[in-house]
Amino acid sequence: MPMRAPIYLSPPDVGPAEEAAVLRALRSGWATPFGPEVDAFEQEIAQRVGVPYALALNSGTAALHLGLLSCGVGPGQIVLVPTVTFVATANAVLYTGATPVFVDCDPATGNVDVGLLGEVIADLRRAGRRIGAVMPVDMFGSCVDYDPLLDLCREAELRIIEDSAEALGSTYRGRCAGSFGDAGVLSFSHNKMITTSGGGMLLSHDAQLIAQARHRANQARIPAQHHEHDEVGFNYRLSNVLAAMGRAQLSRLDEMTARRRRLREHYSKLFASVDGVEVLSESDPGTNCWLTVIVVDPKLTGWQAADLARHLEQADIETRPAWKPMHRQPLFANAEARLTGAADRLFAQGLTLPSGSSLDEMQIDRITAEVQGFLHQHS
Ligand SMILES: *Cc1c(COP(=O)(O)O)cnc(C)c1O
C-alpha cells in the first residue's frame, strides 16, 4: 500500500506570509516579549473584534487567568463554567483559588444552557453562596445565546469572562465573539482559527481592566529603574516574533475561515441524507466553523460515532469525540455540577471531523471516499 500522510483535525495553516513576518521581526532586533509587532497585533485584533482594548499574552489560558483576576475573582467564590469546554477554562478558575461549578449544555449547540444557568444562579444565591463570575464559552466557534445570558448576568450583577478561544471571527446578531463579556479571551494555540504556535489575547471595553492585567502579565513591575513589584505578577507576555506571525495569520483570517466554512458545507451535504446524523450548530449563521462536529443517534443510524471514528482512523484520518465534559474529568470528580444529560450525550454521540483550513482537495476527496465507504457498508 502506498504511504499516506495522516490527515489531522485542525493543523496549523502557515506558509510564506508567516515566514516573511517572522523573519521581519527577527531582523528588526525585537526578539523580545514586547515591541512594535505586539503593539500592532493588539490594535489589529481589537479592531477586528470591535473592542477598544487588547492585551497580547503567551496563551489563552493566561488570558483567562488574568481576566478572572481583573474581575476580582478569588478564594471563597464560585465561578460558573460550562461542563462542555476545554479544561483551560476551569483550570484558570482553580489558579485564582475560586471553585468552578459546572452547568450542562444546550444539546443543539454544545453551549451552556442559559435557562439552566439562571436556575443555578438563583439556587446558589438562595443558599447564600458567593458567585464571583460567569464564564460562557463560544463552543466550536458558535456564540452562546448572549441576549438572555447578558440579561441574566445584568440582573444578577455578575461579571462575565467570555472564553472565545475557539471563536475568533464568529458573530452573534452582528457583534463579534470576544466582545460580550467584561473580559473576552482568544487563543492562538496551534489548532485554533489563527495561530502564533502558542498565544492568546485578553479583550475588554474597560481600559482600567486591561491596564491592570498588563501590569500583572509583566511580573507586576512598577516603572522604576530598579525592579519594583507591588503584587503577585506573572510572566505571561507574548513574544514580538510570534506577534508578527499572528499579524500574518490575521490578514488571512477571512480566507482561512471561508475554507473551514466550505468544509462544513461539504460535511452537511455528505450526511444530509443520513437519518440520525446532525451537524452541531448547523443553523448558526455566525459561526466561524472552527471544528465541525456531527452528532450520531445510534437508534436511527444503527452505528455509533465511535464506529465511524475507528473506520477513519484505519485510513489515517484523525477525528475526536466532542470535549469530554468537566464533570467526567478525574480532576473534577468532587466538583458540583448541574446536569441534564445533554453533555454526556454529546460526548457519547459527537464526533469532530477534520476541519483545518489547510486541507487540500485531495485530502477532502480522501475523507469523502472513506465516509461514503463507511456509510455504504452500514446502509
Ligand atoms: C484552546 C482553548 C483554550 C486555551 O487556550 P490556550 O491558548 O491553549 O491556552 C481555552 N478555552 C477553550 C475553550 C479552548 O478551546
Side-chain angles (χ1 to χ4, degrees), residues 52-64:
Y53 308 104
L55 169 63
L57 296 163
N58 57 20
S59 74
T61 309
L64 289 167

Side-chain angles (χ1 to χ4, degrees), residues 114-143:
V114 179
L116 189 65
L117 179 69
E119 290 175 27
V120 175
I121 290 169
D123 289 351
L124 288 170
R125 286 266 162 89
R126 221 172 286 125
R129 314 271 300 275
R130 280 172 64 208
I131 307 173
V134 175
M135 296 179 87
V137 182
D138 302 319
M139 194 43 55
F140 305 114
S142 264
C143 282

Side-chain angles (χ1 to χ4, degrees), residues 9 84-85 139-140 280 290-295 305-306 309-310 313 318-325 343-353:
L9 209 61
V84 179
T85 187
M139 194 43 55
F140 305 114
L280 200 68
W290 175 55
L291 294 181
T292 296
V293 179
I294 56 166
V295 182
R310 221 168 298 116
E313 189 188 352
E318 185 186 26
T319 62
R320 201 180 291 159
W323 296 122
K324 181 168 185 172
D344 282 338
R345 239 174 356 259
L346 181 58
F347 180 56
Q349 303 185 345
L351 190 68
T352 309
L353 301 171

Side-chain angles (χ1 to χ4, degrees), residues 16-350:
E18 289 76 12
E19 195 178 320
V22 167
L23 207 56
R24 173 185 77 220
L26 286 173
R27 286 177 176 164
S28 74
W30 293 88
T32 43
F34 50 85
E37 303 283 354
V38 173
D39 297 344
F41 190 36
E42 288 176 347
Q43 280 166 23
E44 288 163 9
I45 287 279
Q47 187 168 22
R48 173 76 202 210
V49 176
V51 295
Y53 308 104
L55 169 63
L57 296 163
N58 57 20
S59 74
T61 309
L64 289 167
H65 183 196
L66 292 181
L68 285 162
L69 290 179
S70 293
C71 286
V73 172
Q77 295 181 345
I78 284 167
V79 176
L80 296 169
V81 176
T83 192
V84 179
T85 187
F86 176 55
V87 72
T89 321
N91 269 337
V93 175
L94 298 182
Y95 301 166
T96 68
T99 305
V101 168
F102 299 110
V103 182
D104 216 319
C105 70
D106 174 342
T109 63
N111 282 330
V112 68
D113 179 333
V114 179
L116 189 65
L117 179 69
E119 290 175 27
V120 175
I121 290 169
D123 289 351
L124 288 170
R125 286 266 162 89
R126 221 172 286 125
R129 314 271 300 275
R130 280 172 64 208
I131 307 173
V134 175
M135 296 179 87
V137 182
D138 302 319
M139 194 43 55
F140 305 114
S142 264
C143 282
V144 170
D145 194 2
Y146 278 110
D147 280 348
L149 183 124
L150 293 177
D151 283 348
L152 182 67
C153 290
R154 200 175 301 118
E155 213 157 289
E157 295 183 26
L158 287 172
R159 305 198 82 181
I160 298 170
I161 295 94
E162 178 190 3
D163 184 345
S164 296
E166 305 172 357
L168 175 61
S170 300
T171 58
Y172 174 85
R173 311 224 158 129
R175 242 174 98 183
C176 285
S179 72
F180 291 93
D182 296 280
V185 168
L186 298 173
S187 166
F188 312 125
S189 188
H190 64 286
N191 58 354
K192 296 288 162 57
M193 293 304 290
I194 68 170
T195 184
T196 58
S197 73
M201 193 83 74
L202 184 67
L203 308 166
S204 184
H205 299 275
D206 180 347
Q208 205 52 39
L209 186 150
I210 292 292
Q212 190 184 45
R214 194 179 294 283
H215 181 61
R216 287 176 170 144
N218 184 25
Q219 306 284 19
R221 185 178 167 191
I222 291 172
Q225 248 176 356
H226 57 278
H227 282 58
E228 185 147 318
H229 311 270
D230 60 351
E231 61 179 322
V232 180
F234 306 90
N235 179 12
Y236 276 173
R237 291 178 299 174
L238 181 67
S239 156
N240 188 66
V241 178
L242 298 181
M245 177 177 170
R247 294 180 68 197
Q249 286 265 285
L250 184 59
S251 75
R252 295 179 50 228
L253 176 63
D254 290 336
E255 166 228 322
M256 293 195 293
T257 305
R259 294 174 72 91
R260 288 188 192 259
R261 188 173 308 283
R262 269 205 305 280
L263 257 175
R264 168 84 50 108
E265 283 160 7
H266 182 68
Y267 286 130
S268 282
K269 279 201 209 101
L270 200 50
F271 290 101
S273 60
V274 186
D275 220 20
V277 177
E278 305 287 339
V279 174
L280 200 68
S281 295
E282 190 162 27
S283 61
D284 176 8
T287 176
N288 63 9
C289 300
W290 175 55
L291 294 181
T292 296
V293 179
I294 56 166
V295 182
V296 179
D297 181 348
K299 286 204 281 300
L300 293 174
T301 56
W303 49 272
Q304 310 260 1
D307 297 326
L308 176 56
R310 221 168 298 116
H311 180 92
L312 293 175
E313 189 188 352
Q314 280 161 12
D316 279 325
I317 297 168
E318 185 186 26
T319 62
R320 201 180 291 159
W323 296 122
K324 181 168 185 172
M326 291 303 108
H327 71 270
R328 293 282 173 201
Q329 300 287 351
L331 171 63
F332 296 114
N334 299 315
E336 283 178 64
R338 180 72 71 93
L339 305 171
T340 61
D344 282 338
R345 239 174 356 259
L346 181 58
F347 180 56
Q349 303 185 345

